[in-house]
Structure formats: structure tokens, C-alpha cells
Amino acid sequence: MTDFWLAAGLLLLVAASFVLLPALRGVGARREQDRTALNVTLYEERVGALREQQEAGILTAEQFSQGEAEAARELLADAENSEQNGVAGRSYGRWALLASAFAIPVLAMALYWQWGAYDALQLARENQSAPPHSMEEITARLERSVKAQPDSAENWYFLGRSYMAMERPADAAKAFSEAVRIAGRETELLAQWAQAQYFAGKVFSPEVRALTDEVLQKDPQEVTTLGLLGIAAFEEQRYADAIGFWQRLIDALPPQDPTAEAIAGGIARARERMAEAGETAPEVAKQPVSAGPEVTVQVSLHPSLRDKVAASDSVFVFAKANNGMPMPLAVKRLSVADLPAQVSLSDADAMMPQLKLSGFAEIIVQARISRSGDVKEGQWQGEVAPFSPGQAPVAVTIDRAL
């Protein structure tokens, strides 16, 4: 933070100089000089009037001399008083200016400390220089982030996810409620909020029911909500309902999703409980999975980069939410040899089941070239402005270095 304080100190010094310049230039001294010149002029005018009266025979020579001496004494007295008052005034004025010069930086720092972004700047520097190494450290930094930027829905969302990972669902529910307040009632946020509320009290309350109903009205295949409804039904021994929700969840997951096996195990346990109770488990037919909105992307390479890339270099085309979430929603991989190419992205290409293209009103599409095959180590990139997932095909030209 040394560079920040140096820049702030320089700006404060410039501001203080505007206050000190009048004292350094001796404004008070010039005022005293002007007053002395006025007193001399008045003295000369008075002596001139006395001389005219003497010449007219009104005053004798002795009376003229007495009047001239009196005017001289008054001139000397005014000069002495002016000098004393000037010294005192200049002293007082300089002290006032010096006090102002010191007060301005103190006041500026106090105002910045209260309303400035110092905490956010310091946290950003810390994240760059020393990445967190534990969930506790991640959570602590996210807590500082929401304190520094209370209007960031992204920070509240990730803080809620961190609380859930640390088995603090009550705190997570509060964090997700703040994210909803800021970002609006997006399906992913509502689903996470409902899940946190349920695990905080282990009760499927009317509030949780209202949230899950709202989510499924917007997205009948929302995986977090389907999983939660299955858990709640299983805990209430409504095993047939649990099987139905979990089967819908499996149908909504991408092929070969690792969580499908665990969900299938839950379905098997529910069937066993029904068999023990002498009940017949329902045969749930698989529902066709909708891929949701499809985004068609035309990807091309700028002519200026043709000699700088190899045909085997990887090309990643991915969509991200426009609300600031860093992780991609959907990704496809090509090679430079495939360019120009047309790519389609949909919910079927989702990186995480909880985050789909259909869950966001606006997205950003980027295309990145990576020599190492690691998307985090890209060398060139192109991007399009935010748009709706249901919009017409978009074009991305890879044209700038990272």
C-alpha cells in the first residue's frame, strides 16, 4: 500500500499549498504598506490646509507651527499603532493558515476512512499477493469483502456458499437473502437461499416451500431445489415423493455427472424403506431433459494473430454471467486449426449443475487461446458485450493479448 499512501500524501500536500501561499507571499505586509501611504497623504493634505490658512491671514506663524506639529504627532501615533496591529494580525493570520494547512489533510483522511474504498483496495492487494489456503481464511476474507462492498451480490453469494461448506446454514441463509435483495430473484440464488433455510432448522417451513415453488415455476429442472425437495420428503418419510424428485434430478444432470451415483443411492434407500413398509415403489419414467436456450457463437481469429499461434493451440469458448461471477457457465474446447468455427452453448454444457445459462438474464461470451491447454494461462482473447441467452447468433473475434 506504499504507493497509495505516497499518492495520497502528494495530493494532500498540493491542497495544503493553496492554503499556505497567501502567508508566504506576505498579503498582510502589503495591506500595512497601503495603510501607511494613506496616513502620509492625509498628513500632507492637513499641512497644506494649515498653510493656506496662514497665507490668508487666518493663522499666525506660531499657530501654523503648532498645527503642523500636532499633525506630525498624529501621523507618528498612527504609524506605531499600525505596526503593532499589523504584527499581531500577521501573527494571528499565519497561525490560522498553518492550522488550516494541518486540518485539511486530517479532515480529508477522516472522510476517506469513513466513506472511501480503502478496505476494498487493501483486500484486493492481499488476495493478489497471498491467496487463501483454507476455508476459514476464504470465509474471513469474504466477510471483509461484504463489509467493504455491501452492495456486491457476488460477494454475498460466495460468502453464503462458504458458510454452507463450513456447516453454518443460518449464516448462509442471511448471506443469500442479501444476494437476492441486491441481484433480484434469480433461480440460483433463491434455490440456495431455500436450501440454507431448510438446513438451518431442519424444517420444511412455509417460507422454504414458497421459495421452492417459485424456483420450480421458473425452472422445473433446477437441480438444487429438486435435491432439497427429495431430502425433505425422505426425512418426512414420504419416500415416493423423494424418489420422484430425485429421479427428476438425475434426468436434469449432464451425462456422467459424478453426483448422479450418490442420488441413485438415495433412490435405492427410499425404495428399501418402502419395501420394508410393504409399499410398492413407483416406477418413474425418465423425463426428457431440455437443453434450455441455445447460444450460437461464430468464433474467428484476427488476421494479425495468424503468425503468432499454432494450429494445435487450444481454443476455449465459454459463457459467463454478467453479474460478475467468475466461473464459466458453459464451456466448449476447440483448436486454432478449427477456426473459424461455429459453436453452440446450452445448459447441457454447464460446468456446474447449479449454474446454467437459462438461470441468467444476461451473459458474456469469451473465446480464449491457450498454448498450454490451460484456460487460466491464455495468451489471446476476444469478447462480446452482454446479451440475452435467447438472442440471435453472436460473433467473437480473438484479437487482443492477455
Side-chain angles (χ1 to χ4, degrees), residues 99 169 177 181 214 245 264 299 331 376 381:
S177 69
R181 179 184 63 82
E214 182 178 351
F245 287 125
V299 186
V331 178
K376 298 179 182 179
Q381 181 172 290

Side-chain angles (χ1 to χ4, degrees), residues 42-266:
L42 293 175
Y43 167 78
E44 292 176 348
E45 290 179 352
R46 184 173 179 182
V47 171
L50 291 172
R51 182 173 288 108
E52 290 177 357
Q53 291 177 0
Q54 182 190 17
E55 293 175 352
I58 300 174
L59 296 177
T60 64
E62 183 180 356
Q63 290 175 331
F64 171 78
S65 298
Q66 291 176 353
E68 184 180 20
E70 180 66 22
R73 284 195 298 270
E74 291 179 1
L75 175 61
L76 291 175
D78 288 341
E80 290 177 358
N81 291 334
S82 176
E83 182 177 358
Q84 292 175 358
N85 294 334
V87 170
R90 289 195 296 272
S91 176
Y92 174 78
R94 287 177 179 175
W95 278 110
L97 290 172
L98 289 173
S100 300
F102 283 104
I104 287 176
V106 173
L107 179 61
M109 292 303 298
L111 293 175
Y112 179 79
W113 196 266
Q114 179 67 27
W115 289 290
Y118 176 76
D119 291 341
L121 178 62
Q122 185 179 30
L123 186 60
R125 294 285 184 87
E126 183 178 345
N127 289 335
Q128 291 178 357
S129 60
H133 299 289
S134 65
M135 183 57 66
E136 289 76 11
E137 190 175 353
I138 291 174
T139 303
R141 293 193 182 184
L142 286 171
E143 289 173 340
R144 291 167 54 193
S145 295
V146 298
K147 185 177 180 180
Q149 298 175 307
D151 293 331
S152 172
E154 178 185 359
N155 289 342
W156 283 111
Y157 172 82
F158 286 113
L159 179 60
R161 296 298 297 267
S162 296
Y163 281 148
M164 289 296 292
M166 297 180 65
E167 299 183 357
R168 296 168 57 183
D171 293 330
K174 296 177 182 178
F176 288 128
S177 69
E178 287 296 316
V180 170
R181 179 184 63 82
I182 298 168
R185 305 184 74 80
E186 295 184 1
T187 55
E188 165 64 9
L189 297 178
L190 294 175
Q192 295 292 338
W193 188 13
Q195 179 176 256
Q197 285 196 37
Y198 174 78
F199 283 111
K202 287 292 185 179
V203 176
F204 201 75
S205 63
E207 292 79 8
V208 176
R209 168 65 69 182
L211 288 173
T212 55
D213 289 346
E214 182 178 351
V215 171
L216 291 184
Q217 286 178 0
K218 296 179 178 179
D219 182 5
Q221 303 297 327
E222 207 288 315
V223 294
T224 300
T225 302
L226 292 175
L228 172 61
L229 291 172
I231 292 173
F234 189 91
E235 293 294 331
E236 296 174 0
Q237 299 182 4
R238 294 184 288 109
Y239 300 117
D241 291 339
I243 292 172
F245 287 125
W246 282 338
Q247 187 61 56
R248 287 172 59 185
L249 174 56
I250 290 180
D251 294 340
L253 292 175
Q256 300 180 347
D257 190 288
T259 60
E261 184 177 351
I263 299 168

Side-chain angles (χ1 to χ4, degrees), residues 8-69:
L10 180 60
L11 291 175
L12 291 174
L13 181 61
V14 172
S17 66
F18 285 101
V19 179
L20 292 174
L21 281 177
L24 297 178
R25 291 178 177 176
V27 173
R30 287 198 299 273
R31 290 178 179 173
E32 296 305 323
Q33 292 174 0
D34 294 340
R35 182 174 179 179
T36 299
L38 177 61
N39 289 336
V40 171
T41 301
L42 293 175
Y43 167 78
E44 292 176 348
E45 290 179 352
R46 184 173 179 182
V47 171
L50 291 172
R51 182 173 288 108
E52 290 177 357
Q53 291 177 0
Q54 182 190 17
E55 293 175 352
I58 300 174
L59 296 177
T60 64
E62 183 180 356
Q63 290 175 331
F64 171 78
S65 298
Q66 291 176 353
E68 184 180 20

Side-chain angles (χ1 to χ4, degrees), residues 257-317:
D257 190 288
T259 60
E261 184 177 351
I263 299 168
I267 293 175
R269 287 193 299 273
R271 291 182 179 277
E272 291 175 1
R273 298 288 178 87
M274 293 188 70
E276 292 172 358
E279 300 176 0
T280 302
E283 293 294 333
V284 181
K286 288 190 175 183
Q287 300 295 325
V289 181
S290 173
E294 186 175 77
V295 178
T296 302
V297 184
Q298 294 284 349
V299 186
S300 60
L301 180 66
H302 195 273
S304 63
L305 298 180
R306 289 176 182 171
D307 297 333
K308 300 179 181 180
V309 297
S312 59
D313 289 347
S314 298
V315 179
F316 295 93
V317 183

